[in-house]
Amino acid sequence: MQSKFARIVMGLIALAMALAFFAPPAIKLKDPAMIIVILIGVAMMVANFIEVVRQKDDE
């Protein structure tokens, strides 16, 4: 049972780590198809982050 603040902080850390992991190959290779796939994945991560943050606490 995490507080809302803890969910926000952990979600932002996860998003930042994922972007840091995906950015170098996307920048170096500059393949449009790969960049689109990465952007779709990041958009799905952001949507999930918003859903988790808006979720009510189970307490």
Side-chain angles (χ1 to χ4, degrees):
M1 291 177 234
Q2 302 168 348
S3 69
K4 190 171 190 171
F5 179 73
R7 285 192 302 232
I8 291 171
V9 170
M10 286 188 276
L12 290 175
I13 291 171
L15 283 171
M17 289 177 67
L19 288 174
F21 179 77
F22 291 133
I27 292 170
K28 185 175 181 181
L29 297 178
K30 296 181 181 164
D31 182 23
M34 186 172 70
I35 292 173
I36 290 170
V37 169
I38 290 172
L39 289 176
I40 291 171
V42 170
M44 291 173 65
M45 288 177 57
V46 169
N48 187 20
F49 170 69
I50 292 170
E51 183 179 321
V52 168
V53 168
R54 287 185 177 174
Q55 191 178 45
K56 294 201 178 215
D57 290 332
D58 293 335
E59 298 173 1

